[in-house]
Structures are given as structure tokens and as C-alpha cells.
Amino acid sequence: MQRDTEIFNLIQKERERQTKGIELIASENFVSDQVMEAMGSVMTNKYAEGYPGKRYYGGCQVVDQSETIAIERAKKLYGAEWANVQPHSGAQANMAVFMACMKAGDTFMGMDLNHGGHLSHGSPVNFSGLMFHAISYEVKEETGTVDYDMMETRAMEGKPKIIIGGGSAYSRDWDWKRMREIADKCGALLMGDISHPSGLIAKGHLENAVKYCHIVTTTTHKTLRGPRGGMILLGKDFDNPWGKTTPKGEIKKMSALLDSAVFPGTQGGPLEHVIAAKAVALGEALTDDYDRYIVQVMKNAKMMSQAFMDKGYKVISGGTDNHLMLIDLRPKFPEMTGKEAENALVAADITVNKNMVPFDSRSAFKTSGLRVGTPAITTRGLKEDDMKGIVDMIDTVLCDPTEATIAKIRKQVNDMMIDRPLFAW
Ligand SMILES: Cc1ncc(COP(=O)(O)O)c(C=O)c1O
């Protein structure tokens, strides 16, 4: 068969883009060679609807083994009692939880998207907001930290079936214990979406949501550094978190409800090549090497947020406990939108994403903020000493986003990154 040069040339271009740039998108990372190899393997050819030992197709004896290894490694890594590794993405994992625990029209509560929540936590353009009734909590304007008192008041008023902790642009640790108290008080299930700080939690550097939540969801491709995908985990309330009976009046195990909400509820055949790659990434995450990586991610983020503040930028909440920070551009550049800042930086091969900041005066298309994270640059070997230099380059571009300045910084960026290979092959 003729080689598809049209696509492979684009793959080569994307590889060059990734190699020469500084990647600061907080939700991105670079997988290892063996994670990549597993994803591009013959496992992609296999249909395996169902679960290990209970499939709707023959020939699943090998994928049964790799899916079981992925499940066991996930349980070990997070201290969970049960795991489902089939969700195709983080949003799919969340959808499965909603389908298992609510009926259409039921109320749930998540963090307001404009305050750092995720689309799948109740945005009106997402299934979560379209099919269910979403109420939300916010951060406090003075501190930029979650307003747990507001969460409690609104939960007692709205009586949600699920309360979701976790978000996409929140730089502080979550008070899972307090949220569990609130959930118990109003009769809700507590769901932790730890997609972002997943790797930090797995290695014990942030409070473990699995200890307090009824259900935990995560993506596998952010700090965890695996293939794109999702997982669902259950901790101590594993069997029947409702007590004697489910909302439907029957005694049913949560694990069975979640399994059938993933398949056949919301997905068909699992991506067994991705599940094999998840197993590889989970195996890597169990090592001390990965722990050293995560510690470095956190050190880099702290150093970078300090460097931004030293240059007069407003970092929401005054710093970070995790791998990301949210910058409000308005105090330093009142006229510049997040979109303009993102475009100027991308032209200099520094990739960031525009982001709403809490109490933003601009729309989601323009925004007043930037979200910046250190997982990807840490994978490429950058250390604390490099952070100030990166912030200097960002500041130079934003202070003077002219073509000449952008070209000068782009050269510095490319010189810095070119000797840091991404792949061994
Ligand atoms: C908190 C959170 N949940 C869910 C998701 C959705 O993950 P995916 O893009 O894999 O659907 C994201 C992705 O950014 C996220 O940040």
C-alpha cells in the first residue's frame, strides 16, 4: 500500500513543533517511548466489548490479561478498591458516573467553569448541563480559593445528588474532608475529578481524594503522563455508598452500576491499545523515578509562579500547591486579552492557553487570563533554574509583542529546547 505522505508529513511537522517549543499547557505531557509503542500496537485491532472474563467477543484471552494488569496497577497506585480503565476520556468517565448515579433532570453541583471548573461539571453546552440540572460553587474573590461555606449553603439549598470536587484551572489542594462532610450533610455522593493533579495525588504529594470520595474520576494523560483516556476509581465506600438501598430502592453495588454505565451505557468496544498503554503508564507511575519527576513538577511550578509574581503578574490565590497556575493579566496589562497573549506566545513557540479568571470581565473567547503548567517541560528535563528564564522570555514577548521581539525570543526558545529530545526513536 502506498504510504500516506499527506498525513505522515503532518505527523513529522507536529513532532518538530513539539520538539522545538516550550510546552506550558497544564493539561499536556509527553509520554514515554513504551507508552507510545503500546498505543501504536496490534491491540488496536481487537474488539473486546465487556470486561475481563466476561466479553461479548472471542479471542480476548490476551487483552483480558493486559486490562487486568491496568486495573490492578491503578488500584495499587491510588490505594483504590476498584477501578474501571475503559473510559475513552475524562469526560466519558464523568458521563458514566452521572449515568450510574442520576436520572436526567437530577441536580448536581460542580465548580463554576469561570472559576476553574471543567466543561463536564455542568456547562450548559455540555451533556452535564444539558441533561442534568447543574448548580455551582465559586472561589472567593479576595483569596482565589474555593468558598467551602458557599458550597455548603448552596448544597443545603439545592440538595444535589452529586457534589463534584476538582477542576481544570485551580492551583490549590482540595479540602476533600470538608467536602465529604458537606456531601454527608446534604445527602449527596461526593465525586472527585482529579484529572489534573492525578499524578501528584498518586504519589502522596496532595491529599488523596480516594480516601474521602465515594467516586473518583481521572484522565490518564495529564500529570499522570499516560495515553489520552479516563479511569474511574472507588475507595472505601466501594460496595454500597447509599447505605442499605440505592435511589432506585434496590441493593446494588456501585462497581456494577459504574461498569454498566461505561459499557454498554455510554461506550461500545474498549480501546485495548490505549488500555495497554494505560497499564504501561501506571507501571511507570509506580516507580521512584516517577516520584522524582512529580516532585520536580511541583518545584518548577512554585518557582515559576514566584517568578511571575516578582515581575508584577497577579497569580490567582498568590501561588500554587500543584503543577499549574492561573495568571490574571489585567493588573499588568489592562488592555491585553488572554487570547492576544496566547497568540503572541505561540508565535514565539511558547505554548500556553488563554483562560477565564475568576470574576473575569471578558468572555471565554477573549478572557483576561493565562493558564500555565509545568508537567510537560519537566518531562523534557527542565529544572527550577530554568523557570526564571522562561518567565523572562514570556514577559519580554508580552511587554513588546512585535514581530522582531517574537522572532528574537523564538530563537532563544528553539536553542533551549532543541537538545532535549522527546523520543528515543
Ligand atoms: C477536571 C477535568 N475533568 C475532565 C476533563 C476531560 O478530559 P477529556 O478531555 O479527556 O475528556 C478535563 C480535561 O481537561 C479536566 O481538566
Side-chain angles (χ1 to χ4, degrees):
M1 207 184 294
Q2 212 184 348
R3 186 167 169 82
D4 188 342
T5 49
E6 200 176 358
I7 284 299
F8 284 104
N9 287 346
L10 288 174
I11 292 174
Q12 181 58 25
K13 273 193 180 160
E14 174 58 13
R15 182 189 179 121
E16 281 160 18
R17 188 195 70 79
Q18 292 185 14
T19 308
K20 70 183 185 177
I22 293 180
E23 181 55 72
L24 294 176
I25 292 185
S27 48
E28 292 191 13
N29 213 328
F30 302 110
V31 298
S32 69
D33 286 349
Q34 52 174 358
V35 168
M36 191 81 86
E37 192 180 336
M39 255 186 302
S41 72
V42 293
M43 296 288 203
T44 193
N45 297 330
K46 189 70 200 99
Y47 240 115
E49 282 180 358
Y51 290 97
K54 291 169 281 179
R55 306 281 192 182
Y56 290 83
Y57 286 79
C60 292
Q61 59 275 26
V62 180
V63 295
D64 272 5
Q65 291 176 56
S66 68
E67 188 167 335
T68 302
I69 291 172
I71 290 168
E72 291 308 317
R73 288 181 182 173
K75 282 161 55 180
K76 185 165 177 201
L77 186 63
Y78 295 91
E81 301 290 328
W82 175 92
N84 183 312
V85 296
Q86 290 194 0
H88 299 334
S89 72
Q92 293 279 157
N94 291 347
M95 182 181 240
V97 174
F98 282 29
M99 300 295 275
C101 304
M102 292 194 286
K103 0 181 242 322
D106 277 353
T107 301
F108 75 97
M109 180 159 80
M111 188 188 216
D112 188 302
L113 184 59
N114 299 341
H115 286 241
H118 185 256
L119 203 67
S120 61
H121 299 179
S123 158
V125 294
N126 180 263
F127 79 89
S128 55
L130 288 166
M131 290 176 55
F132 300 93
H133 176 235
I135 57 175
S136 61
Y137 57 89
E138 299 174 358
V139 299
K140 290 186 268 196
E141 192 156 14
E142 327 77 75
T143 58
T145 54
V146 169
D147 190 339
Y148 292 101
D149 293 334
M150 173 193 279
M151 184 189 283
E152 179 163 351
T153 309
R154 292 195 178 171
M156 291 313 288
E157 280 164 15
K159 293 274 183 265
K161 291 260 164 61
I162 300 177
I163 297 177
I164 306 177
S168 301
Y170 188 62
S171 63
R172 295 299 181 180
D173 200 0
W174 289 79
D175 190 345
W176 299 109
K177 185 168 177 292
R178 173 88 197 268
M179 285 187 281
R180 178 57 191 260
E181 283 159 12
I182 296 170
D184 285 345
K185 198 167 163 189
C186 75
L189 290 174
L190 179 62
M191 167 181 154
D193 179 344
I194 61 165
S195 292
H196 261 272
S198 199
L200 286 65
I201 288 177
K203 300 311 278 185
H205 299 295
L206 293 177
E207 189 62 83
N208 191 352
V210 175
K211 265 168 58 189
Y212 297 100
C213 295
H214 297 101
I215 306 169
V216 170
T217 59
T218 180
T219 51
T220 45
H221 47 273
K222 299 185 171 81
T223 48
L224 189 59
R225 208 163 60 177
R228 308 198 76 76
M231 296 194 294
I232 308 175
L233 307 166
L234 292 177
K236 71 179 162 69
D237 297 303
F238 160 65
D239 270 355
N240 186 12
W242 293 286
K244 280 197 180 123
T245 57
T246 68
K248 290 173 195 147
E250 311 147 13
I251 295 177
K252 263 199 184 160
K253 286 194 172 179
M254 178 58 92
S255 54
L257 286 173
L258 288 169
D259 267 348
S260 51
V262 173
F263 171 83
T266 52
Q267 295 186 176
L271 310 176
E272 288 297 342
H273 56 308
V274 176
I275 291 172
K278 285 175 182 170
V280 174
L282 289 162
E284 290 175 353
L286 283 162
T287 64
D288 291 343
D289 259 0
Y290 179 81
D291 188 50
R292 281 188 281 278
Y293 159 71
I294 282 294
V295 168
Q296 192 62 51
V297 166
M298 295 174 80
K299 282 185 187 165
N300 286 353
K302 280 205 168 45
M303 189 61 96
M304 185 175 266
S305 74
Q306 190 55 53
F308 272 116
M309 291 188 286
D310 291 346
K311 287 231 167 263
Y313 287 81
K314 179 177 176 189
V315 175
I316 300 291
S317 86
T320 178
D321 296 330
N322 57 27
H323 61 294
L324 67 79
M325 64 216 73
L326 187 58
I327 294 160
D328 186 344
L329 292 165
R330 290 173 299 185
K332 183 151 177 171
F333 302 107
E335 305 303 324
M336 183 183 280
T337 65
K339 187 176 179 190
E340 287 160 349
E342 176 190 298
N343 288 343
L345 291 169
V346 167
D349 287 344
I350 300 174
T351 316
V352 296
N353 66 277
K354 64 176 181 295
N355 215 99
M356 296 283 278
V357 291
F359 309 98
D360 207 325
S361 42
R362 297 193 175 97
S363 74
F365 293 106
K366 292 197 172 142
T367 82
S368 301
L370 291 178
R371 188 185 64 160
V372 177
T374 54
I377 49 169
T378 307
T379 296
R380 298 214 53 202
L382 298 185
K383 299 259 165 32
E384 291 106 299
D385 292 349
D386 301 305
M387 298 302 117
K388 190 176 167 306
I390 292 177
V391 172
D392 283 346
M393 290 194 274
I394 291 174
D395 189 54
T396 305
V397 169
L398 297 185
C399 287
D400 179 32
T402 56
E403 267 185 41
T405 299
I406 288 172
K408 186 182 82 185
I409 295 298
R410 187 168 55 235
K411 171 137 189 357
Q412 286 177 23
V413 168
N414 298 161
D415 288 347
M416 180 175 182
M417 299 312 288
I418 211 74
D419 289 332
R420 299 181 176 275
L422 276 180
F423 313 109
W425 39 272

